Amino acid sequence: GATLTALPERVERPAMVPLGKLALFPGTLRHTNEVTVLLGENLFALRSASQAVGIAERRAEFVAAQVHSLKEEVRELGSELEKLGAMHTLGLDRGSEGGGGGGGDGFGLVCNPDGTVEIREEFVEAEWSGGGGGGGGD
């Protein structure tokens, strides 16, 4: 921002121009109010320095909003991970003690050797045989 606002104050500016990797020679910068701005997907536009500052500020605001949104999403996912971790720990303890469904609530998590977790629930035939649910008990 500071360079874009200070550069167009004068018509020409002295500069040391690089020639190769090792050599510099004195030169001047002209057309210091003209900036080529990337609009997206290899599309460029010639804009004044003040217009380029406006574009840069809008892009910075957009990126800041995206960063804020992503930080909020990471925070939410972190709390979800904590909840799942607690459920996993409780379920594994019950699953390993009761052979896959201890604790009397008919629910258990079992960790398999390949790293997957099985959710095991007790089957209650009365829930499936009674009432007019769809699909029935094949």
Side-chain angles (χ1 to χ4, degrees):
T3 303
L4 282 176
T5 55
L7 205 54
E9 291 175 356
R10 296 175 33 194
V11 178
E12 290 185 352
R13 284 197 174 265
M16 293 302 287
V17 180
L19 180 65
K21 292 182 178 182
L22 302 174
L24 294 171
F25 66 94
T28 57
L29 293 176
R30 296 184 182 169
H31 305 282
T32 56
N33 196 36
E34 297 174 359
V35 179
T36 304
V37 178
L38 174 67
L39 298 178
E41 289 301 317
N42 227 4
L43 180 65
F44 295 89
L46 190 62
R47 294 285 168 231
S48 70
S50 61
Q51 289 172 330
V53 167
I55 291 170
E57 287 172 351
R58 285 190 297 276
R59 286 184 183 170
E61 289 172 8
F62 175 76
V63 169
Q66 292 292 323
V67 166
H68 177 72
S69 164
L70 291 172
K71 282 183 179 179
E72 181 67 24
E73 187 175 344
V74 166
R75 188 189 63 75
E76 289 173 5
L77 289 173
S79 67
E80 186 71 21
L81 181 63
E82 288 176 12
K83 290 177 190 175
L84 290 173
M87 284 177 51
H88 179 1
T89 302
L90 291 174
L92 283 179
D93 290 346
R94 280 188 265 146
S96 61
E97 290 172 5
D105 61 357
F107 173 75
L109 297 176
V110 178
C111 187
N112 294 324
D114 63 354
T116 60
V117 176
E118 289 184 35
I119 301 173
R120 296 186 180 176
E121 296 182 36
E122 188 175 308
F123 177 73
V124 179
E125 191 170 344
E127 293 177 5
W128 288 89
S129 61
D138 284 336

